[in-house]
Amino acid sequence: MHPDLLSPRRRHLLRLGALSALPWGSGAWAQALAPGKTSLDGGRLVVVLLRGAYDGLSALVPYADPDYYALRPNIAIAAPDGSAQTALRLDNTFALHPALAPLLPLWQQGVLGFVPAAGLPAPNRSHFDAQYQMEIAQPGRTSSAPGWLNKVAGLRGGAAAALGVGEANPAILGGPASVRLIPRGQAAERTGVLANDRTRQALLDLYAGDDSLSQAFRQGAGSRMQSAQELSSEKAAAGVRRNAMAGAAPLADRPLDRDGTPASAQAQSAQMLAASNGAPDSVGLQLDAQHLGTLMRNDRSLRLGFLSAGGWDTHANQGAATGQLANNLGNLARGIAQLRQDFSEPGDVIVVMSEFGRTTAENGTRGTDHGFGNAMWLIGNRVNGGRWHGQWTGLAHGNLNEGRDLPAHHDYRAVLAQLLRSTFALSDAQLSAALPGVNWDRRLDGLLAKT
């Protein structure tokens, strides 16, 4: 791995400073908390990060725009006609990729909405830089900084309010606040070397001191043991229930992070792997979502959850109604449907985001390259769903960023500000600490129901 590839992330894990609330920009958004309302009260927030830049124009198809089909003669999703190979109509502007069919009922129930053109304030077509800046909520910054979810967790006075599944050290959770991290898939149900009593005791004796490293180790070991036990118990209980019902017997080099189509199949594969930045592929997302739901259901102090999935850097052979992207979207749909089962209380919100979008036009290898604006999804009872929000200007050449990309009409942090205000009733000062420098975007005021 190139030594500079993830240096900001490494630095922020090793050297974590105190939080500071930076001043707001020119956009005024004073809004007092309701009487008796306390910070981080009334809901849970789950963030799903799609690493590698998923193609929002295939997930949420602008089928009414003729430019969409002109720009994508081979990979466009056919307009809705009721058949299995065409998009699923949402309204007069957008339709859903057929692989996302499990999510259509959420739209119809009014709990799924999206912002079709959001992103970083300025284009950044480096997966690594864009992901890092999105995770710390400070576009343009390359030096060490805490993740914005860690900062929100810290607003609870340092309690273990956040849980991450699937990645060892995601930047979004890095920082001084205590968090729980568990590995992906079935590995989350195992305790590793801690399962051996003698080994575990030897390690605990070794890290018995009062220094910060020892304290961190003991906390992490305890969390790993507890999480594995909870998930194993849940798995065993689920197996008993199934048997009873059925009557059955008991990262990469920096040169790969470039805009444009890689020159060979080998380079394409390497770049896709690099773009995932350590995130697991989408195949195991449903199981990871199930683990997240189990642990956050068992520990009600956990109010913030994080999942990620890689494999979205589709430079070649992207496919249309079927193929590479369709397979990923199908896995994503099952993962989100699982999350919705576990996070359906009145204040719960799930947000799906990615570092940037894809080019509006397909490339010469029937894929798409690094773009700019992209769709952010929101799922929850508090979401004004069954509709999309914000600005949409279509795909005419004059309306595109640099004549090639979907513009980011809305700063992604402005979407997050709406979520944090509604879900956790954060004050202006708290929002300023979590999302430095963002302005309130009143065009998004209808995104979430007022409480």
Side-chain angles (χ1 to χ4, degrees):
M1 180 176 290
H2 192 285
D4 293 329
L5 181 60
L6 293 178
S7 56
R9 177 178 292 191
R10 288 172 178 156
R11 287 195 299 270
H12 98 275
L13 290 171
L14 296 173
R15 188 177 65 252
L16 297 168
L19 303 183
S20 59
L22 302 185
W24 291 110
S26 58
W29 49 303
Q31 180 177 344
L33 293 175
K37 198 79 170 179
T38 58
S39 298
L40 290 173
D41 179 35
R44 298 173 294 177
L45 174 64
V46 176
V47 177
V48 181
L49 180 58
L50 306 182
R51 296 191 188 275
Y54 90 102
D55 182 25
L57 294 175
S58 286
L60 297 159
V61 183
Y63 72 94
D65 190 334
D67 289 306
Y68 172 72
Y69 294 98
L71 289 163
R72 299 183 166 202
N74 297 296
I75 66 169
I77 313 303
D81 69 2
S83 67
Q85 296 299 308
T86 65
L88 306 170
R89 185 183 182 280
L90 298 178
D91 61 14
N92 292 332
T93 305
F94 290 100
L96 203 62
H97 191 289
L100 295 172
L103 303 184
L104 184 59
L106 301 183
W107 176 271
Q108 296 166 338
Q109 294 161 18
V111 297
L112 166 63
F114 63 94
V115 178
L120 294 165
N124 185 329
R125 296 190 177 92
S126 161
H127 291 293
F128 310 112
D129 291 344
Q131 287 176 29
Y132 180 71
Q133 291 169 20
M134 184 167 276
E135 290 179 81
I136 65 172
Q138 297 185 60
R141 179 164 178 166
T142 58
S143 59
S144 176
W148 67 266
L149 269 181
N150 187 278
K151 288 195 269 188
V152 175
L155 297 174
R156 296 196 64 161
L163 171 66
V165 178
E167 289 190 51
N169 293 299
I172 197 169
L173 288 174
S178 175
V179 301
R180 288 174 65 179
L181 294 169
I182 65 170
R184 64 175 300 197
Q186 294 181 353
E189 301 167 13
R190 299 190 290 267
T191 56
V193 297
L194 296 174
N196 183 283
D197 292 339
R198 293 181 63 182
T199 302
R200 181 173 67 255
Q201 190 58 51
L203 288 170
L204 291 175
D205 290 343
L206 180 64
Y207 291 99
D210 293 329
D211 58 286
S212 58
L213 179 60
S214 295
Q215 292 174 3
F217 175 82
R218 291 197 301 272
Q219 180 183 9
S223 176
R224 179 69 183 270
M225 294 289 290
Q226 178 185 348
S227 297
Q229 183 177 10
E230 290 178 20
L231 294 174
S232 296
S233 299
E234 176 70 17
K235 182 179 180 180
V240 170
R241 291 193 296 269
R242 286 195 301 270
N243 290 338
M245 293 175 62
L251 265 208
D253 292 330
R254 175 70 75 169
L256 290 172
D257 183 36
R258 65 183 183 184
D259 182 31
T261 310
S264 66
Q266 183 178 7
Q268 291 162 9
S269 178
Q271 175 147 316
M272 180 181 293
L273 179 63
S276 296
N277 209 359
D281 60 40
S282 63
V283 173
L285 188 63
Q286 184 174 4
L287 181 57
D288 288 345
Q290 185 178 0
H291 288 164
L292 185 81
T294 297
L295 295 174
M296 291 183 71
R297 182 173 63 249
N298 292 347
D299 184 352
R300 298 297 297 188
S301 74
L302 294 170
R303 289 307 203 190
L304 300 161
F306 175 72
L307 291 169
S308 63
W312 301 95
D313 195 29
T314 51
H315 283 285
N317 301 316
Q318 178 172 305
T322 60
Q324 174 190 171
L325 179 60
N327 292 337
N328 279 348
L329 290 174
N331 290 324
L332 175 63
R334 287 183 284 274
I336 294 176
Q338 177 66 49
L339 286 175
R340 174 59 186 171
Q341 289 183 32
D342 291 314
F343 298 92
S344 56
E345 295 180 6
D348 295 344
V349 179
I350 302 160
V351 59
V352 182
M353 53 197 287
S354 196
E355 67 263 32
F356 46 73
R358 315 295 299 182
T359 47
T360 55
E362 67 180 66
N363 59 31
T365 56
R366 299 193 176 187
T368 50
D369 296 322
H370 300 181
F372 183 25
N374 207 352
M376 290 180 68
W377 311 3
L378 299 98
I379 303 102
N381 293 353
R382 195 171 284 175
V383 175
N384 281 328
R387 53 173 291 193
W388 52 274
H389 298 264
Q391 188 175 1
W392 172 257
T393 51
L395 303 180
H397 185 271
N399 294 333
L400 300 179
N401 172 66
E402 299 178 355
R404 51 166 273 168
D405 306 322
L406 189 66
H409 290 306
H410 303 277
D411 187 331
Y412 80 99
R413 298 171 302 166
V415 180
L416 298 178
Q418 294 274 348
L419 296 181
L420 295 177
R421 171 76 83 192
S422 176
T423 305
F424 298 140
L426 297 194
S427 67
D428 288 349
Q430 291 170 325
L431 282 167
S432 178
L435 308 169
V438 71
N439 293 321
W440 190 261
D441 189 342
R442 295 194 178 278
R443 296 172 297 172
L444 300 173
D445 278 353
L447 185 60
L448 298 159
K450 298 293 186 291
T451 56

